[in-house]
Amino acid sequence: MHIINPDRPAASLRRTTAGAFYWLQIHFHTDLNAFLQFREQHQLKLAGGIINANQGLSQVPITDPLCVMVGNEHRGLSQACIDELDYPYTIPMCGMTESLNLSVSAAISLYDVAQRKRSTLSQPGDLNSSEFQQEQARYYLNSVNQRLLNGFVRTKLLD
């Protein structure tokens, strides 16, 4: 996950993400240009939901490494970010709904892209065995409550 120009300290993410904060690799970028440099180094394609896009979410290609851009709840994506999108898309809505909130838009977008990618790969993900083991180890390390770990270490040192 990449956070560009956060308006709150990173510590506030713990509450907002309901614990997912511990399982994600989060990268902070001071501004869009800093993120765009990262994008170039890692050859990422950018997709972002905007109201007047000419294609739907299901038409966003999943063949290249992809970053789904999600804007601020009130302002959406900045025009500078929209100008950088490789794949602007819209999420079709029915009935009288005019827009979706940030978490719903992000969830729909990530679910769609991940499901299509898994289906194309015919497997649960695109990590090789070594990469999967590294991520699994990081997950296990992050799942340990730091206070319990500190108490355990102190107890063992005093024994």
Side-chain angles (χ1 to χ4, degrees), residues 2-143:
H2 296 265
I3 299 175
I4 301 169
N5 191 19
D7 57 0
R8 291 180 283 181
S12 69
L13 290 174
R14 289 186 186 125
R15 190 177 17 153
T16 305
T17 62
F21 177 86
Y22 297 105
W23 320 129
L24 298 173
Q25 289 186 26
I26 301 177
H27 305 272
F28 293 93
H29 303 279
T30 54
D31 56 28
L32 181 60
N33 288 331
F35 170 74
L36 292 174
Q37 289 175 356
F38 177 91
R39 170 207 185 182
E40 191 172 315
Q41 292 169 350
H42 293 84
Q43 300 177 343
L44 298 173
K45 297 292 185 181
L46 300 184
I50 61 173
I51 292 173
N52 58 352
N54 292 328
Q55 68 179 349
L57 172 60
S58 63
Q59 295 170 303
V60 171
I62 55 166
T63 52
D64 294 319
L66 183 68
C67 180
V68 176
M69 306 294 288
V70 180
N72 175 286
E73 178 103 29
H74 302 286
R75 297 181 303 270
L77 294 173
S78 69
Q79 188 59 52
C81 182
I82 292 170
D83 292 344
E84 294 291 333
L85 295 176
D86 298 296
Y87 309 114
Y89 66 86
T90 187
I91 299 173
M93 292 176 275
C94 300
M96 296 175 21
T97 303
E98 293 180 7
S99 66
L100 303 170
N101 72 26
L102 175 69
S103 62
V104 172
S105 295
I108 290 170
S109 299
L110 294 174
Y111 177 82
D112 178 84
V113 168
Q115 284 298 101
R116 289 190 294 125
K117 185 71 172 184
R118 288 181 187 121
S119 177
T120 300
L121 294 170
S122 298
Q123 60 186 33
D126 58 359
L127 298 177
N128 64 38
S129 178
S130 175
E131 292 168 330
F132 180 82
Q133 287 176 349
Q134 287 176 340
E135 288 301 310
Q136 189 175 42
R138 192 177 61 75
Y139 173 86
Y140 290 146
L141 287 172
N142 284 334
S143 69

